[in-house]
């Protein structure tokens, strides 16, 4: 079975940094060429896209997060990362990684475009 497992969340002071990881398993072929994304959901709010990365490594970010967050993946495509800097209280949320096993480019921002999801890792900024 395909599994995505996030880690790296925690509590951090305003202005601090965290690096989230998402390790995948159960894929029969390399994930590297597929779209992957980070989403987040705060209590009482809809899930929103944070960052996406396509099969060629091209990245994009939610406008409000550009310059503070960075998405990347390792060479074999098994681990996805999200480096988060200058965190503020608005960044507090559950963070999820997601995989689209069909698209390698033209990655979607909608959560409907992703079939596989992790269970999330909590980030709390205070």
């Amino acid at each position: 079975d395909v599994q995505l497992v996030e880690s790296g969340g925690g509590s951090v002071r305003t202005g601090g940094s965290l690096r989230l990881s998402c390790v995948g398993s159960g894929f029969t072929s390399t994930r590297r060429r597929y779209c992957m994304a980070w989403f987040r959901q705060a209590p009482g709010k809809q899930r929103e896209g944070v960052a996406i990365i396509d099969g060629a490594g091209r990245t994009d970010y939610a406008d409000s997060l550009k310059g503070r967050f960075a998405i990347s993946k390792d060479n074999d495509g098994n681990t996805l990362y999200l480096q988060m800097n200058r965190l503020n209280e608005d960044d507090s949320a559950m963070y999820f990684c997601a995989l689209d096993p069909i698209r390698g480019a033209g990655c979607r921002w909608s959560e409907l475009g992703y079939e596989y999801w992790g269970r999330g890792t909590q980030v709390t900024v205070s």
Side-chain angles (χ1 to χ4, degrees), residues 55-107:
R58 290 180 291 256
T59 60
D60 199 7
Y61 300 89
D63 287 342
S64 62
L65 302 177
K66 288 180 179 178
R68 292 197 299 123
F69 286 20
I71 187 173
S72 62
K73 55 187 175 182
D74 63 359
N75 288 334
D76 61 12
N78 286 333
T79 305
L80 181 72
Y81 301 100
L82 183 68
Q83 177 67 42
M84 306 186 295
N85 300 320
R86 303 194 304 279
L87 288 162
N88 59 63
E89 291 185 1
D90 290 339
D91 297 317
S92 295
M94 185 71 80
Y95 284 72
F96 302 89
C97 65
L99 172 72
D100 178 351
I102 297 175
R103 290 178 181 80
C107 304

Side-chain angles (χ1 to χ4, degrees), residues 41-63:
Q41 187 169 20
K45 295 186 178 180
Q46 289 188 330
R47 189 172 298 187
E48 62 176 355
V50 171
I52 56 178
I53 185 168
D54 72 7
R58 290 180 291 256
T59 60
D60 199 7
Y61 300 89
D63 287 342

Side-chain angles (χ1 to χ4, degrees), residues 10-56:
S11 296
V12 63
R13 294 288 191 184
T14 297
S17 299
L18 282 175
R19 189 191 196 201
L20 306 183
S21 299
C22 170
V23 178
S25 62
F27 288 93
T28 57
S29 58
T30 179
R31 299 186 314 168
R32 184 167 178 79
R33 61 177 180 265
Y34 299 117
C35 290
M36 295 197 72
W38 286 97
F39 287 78
R40 68 185 183 183
Q41 187 169 20
K45 295 186 178 180
Q46 289 188 330
R47 189 172 298 187
E48 62 176 355
V50 171
I52 56 178
I53 185 168
D54 72 7

